[in-house]
Amino acid sequence: MKIVSIFLIVFCFSCCSNGQDRVDPIRKYYNKHAADTLASVSHGSVSNGSLEHGKLIPYYGSNYSYFDTTSYFSGRAFLHEDVLAFTLKAYKKLENASDRFYRIMECANKKGGKLPPHQTHQNGTSIDFMMPLIKDHKPYYKLDETGVNHYWLTFDDDGKYSEDKSVEIDFEAVAQHILLLNEEANKKGWEVKKVIIKIELKDELYATPSGKKLKAKGIYVVQGLSKMVNALHDEHYHIDFAKV
């Protein structure tokens, strides 16, 4: 895991002229919210709901990081405690399977409710995950540092970055992650209820070894989206979880 360790060191010290100034506010913010130990309760649906006692995602782990400090400090990184637990378990399993580093994107407010501009993310059971990328068949991370602007990056119908066709989505890594999320969710009585990605990318996803397993398991990947919503799900994949 040497690559991941080096990445974390660079991450912690590159975002601010003083590395300690960068880390301490994040720890302080996380510790403040970690004091809430009451059980999480999700109400309503992902598009019309609320959340009691949402739990804050740790900003970074050994092989993952939240994608943007402004989003984090704005309170947009909360989840139902079960969803948080199996999401972190899946990252732990990925750590043993790969030296790739991952990015988690927006989730929910601590009390749920509307999270503009998202149409869902309202009850702590939805997560956006950044598409893992490759260049020359190797993990590629330069676009991971764009913060909230990452949502506006564009990829074509083959999963290639519009500004540099040599950069493309690692569909095998996406499918592997979804499978592990569903596996860990099942252990806590949950499941992957819905996966949202750009419709034109489904063929590439299903063509991979893990993608074939994903399709065989019947994990639902959306079959139709509005033009706007479809266009906005090329650089990340959205997952809704639900209790079985």
Side-chain angles (χ1 to χ4, degrees), residues 116-179:
H118 304 282
Q119 296 179 7
T120 56
H121 292 261
Q122 292 199 27
N123 68 352
T125 63
S126 301
I127 308 178
D128 284 348
F129 295 99
M130 189 179 290
M131 291 285 194
L133 303 176
I134 51 176
K135 182 174 183 176
D136 300 324
H137 306 290
K138 297 178 182 179
Y140 181 80
Y141 300 110
K142 288 185 179 179
L143 294 177
D144 293 7
E145 303 298 331
T146 53
V148 293
N149 289 322
H150 195 280
Y151 277 108
W152 309 117
L153 300 180
T154 57
F155 290 77
D156 66 19
D157 293 350
D158 296 317
K160 298 182 186 299
Y161 179 43
S162 60
E163 301 297 321
D164 181 354
K165 299 296 184 181
S166 68
V167 177
E168 54 190 318
I169 295 169
D170 186 348
F171 289 103
E172 169 61 19
V174 173
Q176 182 186 45
H177 184 210
I178 297 171
L179 285 170

Side-chain angles (χ1 to χ4, degrees), residues 11 17 33 65 73 92 115 142 144 157 163 172-173 176-177 199 244:
F11 168 76
S17 59
H33 291 284
S65 172
F73 289 135
K92 190 65 177 177
L115 190 77
K142 288 185 179 179
D144 293 7
D157 293 350
E163 301 297 321
E172 169 61 19
Q176 182 186 45
H177 184 210
I199 299 300
V244 178

Side-chain angles (χ1 to χ4, degrees), residues 97-116:
S98 168
D99 62 359
R100 175 179 277 285
F101 197 86
Y102 300 84
R103 292 286 185 139
I104 189 167
M105 298 175 75
E106 293 201 314
C107 301
N109 293 314
K110 186 171 185 178
K111 295 183 179 180
K114 292 182 180 180
L115 190 77

